[in-house]
């Protein structure tokens, strides 16, 4: 059902945990649906220097959270904002079709975290372009 | 490789070796069709009749009653409900069931609703027990059938069948009982409990898959839903699955003979499992009734984490278990049983369904109780939810519902 890569990230998630001094947080999902993903970012000179996640959800939710943090670290805000749900799934050697829609929320969480950071620094997405 | 331990018997049971041995000759040596007049056919016919008696004895049925062999419990439930409804249409159009029935009951009744039949789903309490007062009140002059399970396959709650049987009898309405989860686990007697139709599955009795039976009390008529050569008293056509039926027969005989012994063994394991988990894990709760439950069932929910993730971690450790989480179901719909018992969707995501079997050992229970707490801890450390960030905070939040 799950690819080796999904199982690997699910078993040994990267960048898991809270970030107390985070510059911004993106929260997506709802416990009723079974998925809740929080992405924390630390930003310096518009570069994401650190990223962490906390996730309630199935193996796909956890693995996509882990993968999105790996894809994000060291990227500029603009580059990170371009990471899509499909990028996350592709880097995990794909997800079961039923999970593509419901549990593949980590990229949305990242986008929300970036939007939160921009809001805090008095900017909008347009300013990144 | 780690030892594979099956705590998921409600999904699949390894066939009893004695049953497998008894079936073997009916594949190549005694392959005759029971419908044939020649010796080979008659040998098979005899074997099928013997199995009918074995199954009848398990449920205390009389020689005048009928045991119809089917392809499994789903077909038996379809035949019971559709067959009875079509045949008895002129008597009325109302069927009563409970909210926690198996989907082969619930979806068959939904189908009958489209054919003009009315139905009432009787509610259950927080333990999954059918509200018998609501059952009595649901009966109308149009009611033709009551269908209530003996025990719930998911949460293990055993229904007050004697009381339900009395209600049905005094209203003179036939009672159908889905006994798939309970047969062989706890005693059942059709005449003591006032049962007119009863569904059995072979695999749940440690028999082969692909066989089931429907008991019909003398005088109960159902319309056939599978047409053909008129096998099984003209009620269920199709050449008999002789090896399967022989297997189910012996499985029923063994289940009847050894039921008290199996029940006391499994109850011991189950209680150690439940107590072990509840003692070692914080915010873990038993689903279903604390005492009125199947000897082999433990259903426990863990707050703040999701069941598929627990299940996958357990499978890496060799434990095969099931979860009630919507995330593993084909429809992504939450368990209708847990919802009926008043458990929230969020909490239902964290439910583990553990169903034990005869081959499980004390050592396996002990190992499970050791292995589980670190998994729960690991997932909770990952979860944004906790005592300080409870589910309720999100209750009114907008979300994209994907069911």
């Amino acid at each position: 059902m799950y690819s080796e890569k999904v199982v690997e990230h699910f078993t040994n998630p990267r960048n898991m945990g809270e970030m107390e001094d985070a510059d911004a947080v993106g929260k997506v999902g709802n416990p009723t649906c079974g998925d809740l993903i929080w992405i924390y970012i630390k930003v310096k000179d518009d570069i994401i220097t650190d990223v962490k996640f906390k996730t309630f959800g199935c193996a796909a939710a956890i693995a996509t959270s882990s993968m999105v943090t790996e894809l994000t670290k060291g990227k500029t805000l603009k580059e990170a904002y371009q990471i899509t749900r499909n990028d996350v799934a592709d880097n995990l050697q794909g997800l079961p079709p039923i999970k593509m829609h419901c549990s593949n929320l980590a990229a949305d969480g990242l986008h929300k975290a970036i939007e939160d950071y921009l809001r805090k620094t008095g900017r909008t997405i347009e300013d990144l372009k | 490789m780690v030892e594979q331990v099956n705590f998921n018997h409600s999904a699949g049971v390894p066939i009893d070796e004695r049953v497998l041995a008894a079936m073997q000759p009916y594949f190549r040596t005694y392959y005759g069709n029971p419908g044939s007049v020649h010796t080979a056919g008659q040998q098979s016919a005899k074997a099928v009749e013997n199995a009918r008696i074995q199954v009848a004895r398990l449920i205390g049925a009389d020689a005048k009653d009928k045991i119809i062999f089917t392809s499994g419990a789903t077909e038996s439930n379809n035949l019971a409900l559709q067959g009875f409804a079509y045949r008895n249409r002129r008597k009325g159009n109302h069927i009563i069931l409970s909210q926690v029935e198996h989907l082969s009951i619930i979806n068959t009744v939904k189908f009958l609703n489209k054919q003009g039949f009315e139905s009432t789903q009787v509610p259950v309490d927080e333990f999954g027990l059918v509200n018998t007062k609501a059952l009595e009140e649901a009966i109308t002059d149009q009611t033709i059938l009551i269908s209530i399970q003996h025990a719930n396959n998911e949460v293990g709650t055993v229904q007050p069948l004697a009381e339900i049987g009395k209600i049905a009898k005094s209203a003179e309405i036939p009672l159908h009982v889905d006994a798939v989860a309970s047969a062989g686990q706890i005693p059942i007697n059709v005449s003591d409990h006032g049962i007119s139709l009863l569904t059995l599955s072979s695999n749940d009795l440690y028999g082969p898959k692909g066989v089931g039976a429907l008991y019909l009390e003398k005088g109960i008529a159902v319309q056939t839903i599978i047409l053909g050569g008129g096998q099984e008293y003209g009620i269920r056509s199709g050449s008999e699955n002789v090896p399967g039926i022989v297997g189910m027969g012996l499985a029923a005989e063994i289940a009847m003979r050894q039921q008290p012994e199996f029940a006391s063994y499994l109850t011991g394991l189950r209680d150690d499992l439940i107590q072990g988990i509840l003692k070692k894990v914080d915010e873990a709760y038993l689903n279903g009734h604390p005492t009125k439950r199947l000897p082999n069932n433990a259903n426990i929910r863990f707050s703040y984490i999701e069941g598929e993730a627990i299940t996958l971690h357990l499978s890496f450790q060799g434990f095969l278990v099931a979860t009630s989480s919507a995330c593993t179901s084909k429809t992504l719909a939450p368990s209708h049983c847990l919802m009926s018992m008043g458990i929230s969707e969020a909490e239902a995501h964290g439910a583990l369904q553990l169903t034990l079997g005869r081959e499980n050992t004390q050592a396996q229970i002990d190992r499970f109780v050791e292995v589980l707490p670190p998994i729960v801890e690991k997932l909770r450390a990952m979860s944004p939810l906790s005592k300080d960030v409870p589910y309720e905070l999100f209750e009114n939040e907008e979300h994209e519902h994907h069911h």
Side-chain angles (χ1 to χ4, degrees):
Chain A
M1 168 180 179
Y2 284 124
S3 73
E4 272 176 41
K5 198 97 183 161
V6 170
V7 170
E8 209 263 308
H9 274 260
F10 166 67
T11 319
N12 303 300
R14 329 285 198 264
N15 308 307
M16 193 281 288
E18 229 166 282
M19 191 192 286
E20 299 210 337
D21 57 345
D23 292 317
V25 191
K27 298 180 179 183
V28 287
N30 186 293
T32 302
C33 295
D35 298 293
L36 187 63
I37 297 178
W38 291 7
I39 305 280
Y40 305 84
I41 54 171
K42 187 121 194 81
V43 184
K44 198 171 178 219
D45 301 331
D46 279 3
I47 291 170
I48 298 177
T49 54
D50 199 10
V51 51
K52 286 201 154 191
F53 81 88
K54 287 204 99 173
T55 292
F56 160 82
C58 65
I62 291 169
T64 52
S65 304
S66 169
M67 177 51 77
V68 95
T69 63
E70 265 207 339
L71 294 175
T72 304
K73 220 182 256 187
K75 293 242 166 46
T76 64
L77 290 176
K78 189 179 170 177
E79 288 163 346
Y81 202 78
Q82 283 160 0
I83 294 170
T84 64
R85 286 180 174 208
N86 279 338
D87 294 336
V88 176
D90 289 348
N91 278 282
L92 286 168
Q93 300 165 342
L95 287 173
I98 199 162
K99 300 283 182 183
M100 278 301 278
H101 173 59
C102 74
S103 304
N104 192 2
L105 300 172
D108 302 6
L110 171 65
H111 297 169
K112 273 206 165 178
I114 295 170
E115 287 160 15
D116 182 42
Y117 181 77
L118 292 171
R119 198 163 38 241
K120 282 177 174 162
T121 53
R123 289 178 290 170
T124 67
I125 299 304
E126 298 306 310
D127 296 325
L128 287 184
K129 289 174 184 167
Chain B
M1 206 180 116
V2 272
E3 177 203 17
Q4 294 272 303
V5 179
N6 180 14
F7 282 2
N8 188 19
H9 285 77
S10 72
V13 174
I15 186 169
D16 187 299
E17 281 175 3
R18 293 165 288 184
V19 170
L20 184 61
M23 290 168 66
Q24 216 79 54
Y26 291 90
F27 286 102
R28 289 186 56 82
T29 311
Y30 308 120
Y31 54 82
N33 187 320
S36 305
V37 185
H38 52 61
T39 352
Q42 287 313 297
Q43 271 166 338
S44 293
K46 223 171 134 185
V48 169
E49 291 322 305
N50 182 48
R52 234 186 271 289
I53 293 164
Q54 289 170 310
V55 172
R57 280 190 187 140
L58 172 68
I59 56 170
D62 193 271
K64 295 184 200 104
D65 303 326
K66 291 189 183 85
I67 299 291
I68 314 289
F69 286 110
T70 66
S71 66
T74 291
E75 187 193 325
S76 296
N77 280 341
N78 270 266
L79 176 59
L81 295 170
Q82 289 192 59
F84 189 89
Y86 297 148
R87 180 64 184 257
N88 295 280
R89 202 170 207 155
R90 63 190 157 75
K91 294 181 189 160
N93 71 342
H94 182 235
I95 297 166
I96 299 174
L97 66 159
S98 87
Q99 284 183 334
V100 293
E101 295 305 312
H102 190 262
L103 288 176
S104 59
I105 297 283
I106 289 189
N107 287 337
T108 302
V109 172
K110 274 187 195 159
F111 173 75
L112 287 168
N113 289 150
K114 289 183 195 149
Q115 327 283 313
F117 289 92
E118 305 283 327
S119 63
T120 305
Q121 281 194 14
V122 177
V124 297
D125 68 9
E126 77 231 70
F127 301 117
L129 283 173
V130 166
N131 183 331
T132 48
K133 196 163 175 290
L135 170 65
E136 261 183 303
E137 286 165 4
I139 296 171
T140 72
D141 61 352
Q142 284 297 304
T143 308
I144 51 172
L145 184 68
I146 297 172
S147 180
I148 306 280
Q149 63 193 193
H150 188 194
N152 186 271
N153 61 310
E154 193 179 327
V155 298
T157 301
V158 178
Q159 301 298 347
L161 213 49
E163 196 186 334
I164 292 167
K166 267 188 210 137
I167 294 170
K169 209 162 205 133
S170 72
E172 292 178 15
I173 297 163
L175 172 66
H176 167 245
V177 170
D178 176 350
V180 170
S182 63
Q185 302 278 345
I186 49 177
I188 186 157
N189 187 298
V190 286
S191 51
D192 289 357
H193 293 130
I195 298 165
S196 297
L197 305 92
L198 182 135
T199 292
L200 289 171
S201 145
S202 157
N203 189 224
D204 290 74
L205 298 167
Y206 294 76
K209 290 185 173 72
V211 198
L214 179 66
Y215 157 81
L216 293 177
E217 188 186 9
K218 184 175 182 281
I220 294 290
V222 296
Q223 185 179 310
T224 175
I225 56 170
I226 296 181
L227 302 161
Q231 287 87 347
E232 298 295 289
Y233 306 100
I235 291 170
R236 201 277 186 185
S237 288
S239 287
E240 295 83 346
N241 169 8
V242 180
I245 290 169
V246 166
M248 180 172 186
L250 182 58
E253 190 186 313
I254 293 169
M256 188 184 71
R257 222 172 35 220
Q258 294 184 271
Q259 184 273 326
E261 174 193 331
F262 292 142
S264 94
Y265 177 65
L266 288 170
T267 304
L269 294 184
R270 177 201 72 187
D271 290 346
D272 285 351
L273 181 63
I274 294 173
Q275 282 154 22
I277 296 170
L278 297 186
K279 206 170 126 191
K280 286 203 165 186
V281 184
D282 243 20
E283 294 193 76
Y285 309 94
L286 182 69
N287 289 324
H289 201 281
T291 54
K292 291 170 189 167
R293 69 184 306 127
L294 290 173
N296 75 329
N297 180 294
N299 190 309
I300 296 174
R301 68 182 191 276
F302 302 90
S303 299
Y304 319 128
I305 53 177
E306 192 277 327
E308 190 212 77
I310 312 173
T311 301
L312 212 54
H313 274 301
L314 283 170
S315 103
F316 299 151
Q317 305 271 359
F319 288 102
L320 316 178
V321 308
T323 167
S324 301
S325 171
C327 301
T328 57
S329 77
K330 288 194 174 73
T331 53
L332 295 177
S335 149
H336 66 282
C337 293
L338 296 182
M339 297 295 103
S340 307
M341 290 159 58
I343 292 163
S344 74
E345 272 187 63
E347 280 274 326
H349 280 295
L352 275 196
Q353 183 197 350
L354 309 168
T355 40
L356 307 177
R358 296 173 194 169
E359 78 286 2
N360 289 139
T361 63
Q362 185 69 43
Q364 294 171 343
I365 301 289
D366 295 345
R367 190 164 81 82
F368 187 87
V369 173
E370 289 305 311
V371 158
L372 179 73
I375 292 174
V376 173
E377 216 168 291
K378 181 179 168 141
L379 291 170
R380 281 188 178 161
M382 219 179 278
S383 174
L385 298 166
S386 65
K387 269 197 185 87
D388 303 326
V389 189
Y391 299 111
E392 292 76 37
L393 285 182
F394 301 86
E395 251 169 22
N396 299 317
E397 224 164 82
E398 269 182 58
H399 62 281
E400 192 185 350
H401 227 280
H402 42 251
H403 300 144

